Amino acid sequence: MRCPYCRHADSRVVDSREVDDGSAIRRRRSCPECGRRFTTLETTALHVLKRSGVSEPFSRDKVVAGVRKACQGRPVDEDALAVLAQQVEESVRATGSAAVDSADVGLAILGPLRALDEVAYLRFASVYRAFESLADFEAEIAGLRADERGGGGDEVTAARAGRALARSGP
């Protein structure tokens, strides 16, 4: 590692610590040439492969921006969105791959968002899964109700909730 002060080609590691829950390493270094100390931050690169074939670095900010749209008008604060983005990143990094499909990122968002706010989950899922009809909403709401009750959701109640959601809009 080059010294940022004298540009000497070598440096000595004085201290290493994990930061950001182990996703990065902070190293304190010393230059043998000029004697000055500096800090480096080492992270692993995580790339998202888009449908178009383009690869871009994973961004928690993009996750938060997408989820924020689904949470518009809902009682969800910025801290909760930041925690959700961290959960999504941890889930994606846990695959062990340096590159993940954007579809996998979307799937990683659905679980934590469902736990955070069911209405926001329905909004996000309707776009992500490309709902085409009221029946798609009704089926998803029936699934939510079935999970809430431990199985066997009430289809009539789910259909009413789906109609109410369709009238109120996303």
Side-chain angles (χ1 to χ4, degrees):
M1 173 65 65
R2 275 194 195 277
C3 173
Y5 304 107
C6 70
R7 306 298 296 159
H8 183 68
D10 198 19
S11 64
R12 185 175 67 87
V13 175
V14 177
D15 183 39
S16 293
R17 296 181 187 208
E18 286 187 3
V19 292
D20 291 336
D21 297 326
S23 65
I25 299 174
R26 186 183 67 84
R27 297 193 195 276
R28 192 77 178 133
R29 296 177 177 267
S30 175
C31 176
E33 187 71 22
C34 68
R36 295 183 79 178
R37 291 186 172 200
F38 58 97
T39 302
T40 59
L41 187 67
E42 299 174 17
T43 60
T44 57
L46 179 62
H47 288 277
V48 177
L49 302 173
K50 308 287 250 172
R51 281 183 241 155
S52 64
V54 175
S55 175
E56 67 180 40
F58 178 86
S59 168
R60 284 187 188 181
D61 292 336
K62 285 189 81 170
V63 170
V64 168
V67 173
R68 185 179 291 124
K69 291 175 189 172
C71 293
Q72 190 173 1
R74 302 293 305 157
V76 177
D77 62 6
E78 288 298 314
D79 289 340
L81 293 177
V83 168
L84 182 139
Q86 181 178 351
Q87 290 173 333
V88 169
E89 183 175 3
E90 288 171 358
S91 172
V92 170
R93 283 190 187 277
T95 65
S97 179
V100 294
D101 289 332
S102 59
D104 293 335
V105 175
L107 287 174
I109 290 171
L110 288 174
L113 183 56
R114 184 175 181 172
L116 181 64
D117 187 289
E118 288 180 339
V119 172
Y121 165 79
L122 279 172
R123 291 174 177 172
F124 188 87
S126 71
V127 173
Y128 179 73
R129 293 183 177 161
F131 288 6
E132 293 181 4
S133 68
L134 184 58
D136 294 333
F137 278 97
E138 290 171 342
E140 194 65 37
I141 291 170
L144 285 170
R145 291 194 184 281
D147 289 348
E148 187 177 283
R149 293 184 181 144
D154 181 353
E155 292 179 21
V156 173
T157 306
R160 286 184 187 139
R163 285 192 293 273
L165 180 65
R167 282 193 300 268
S168 69

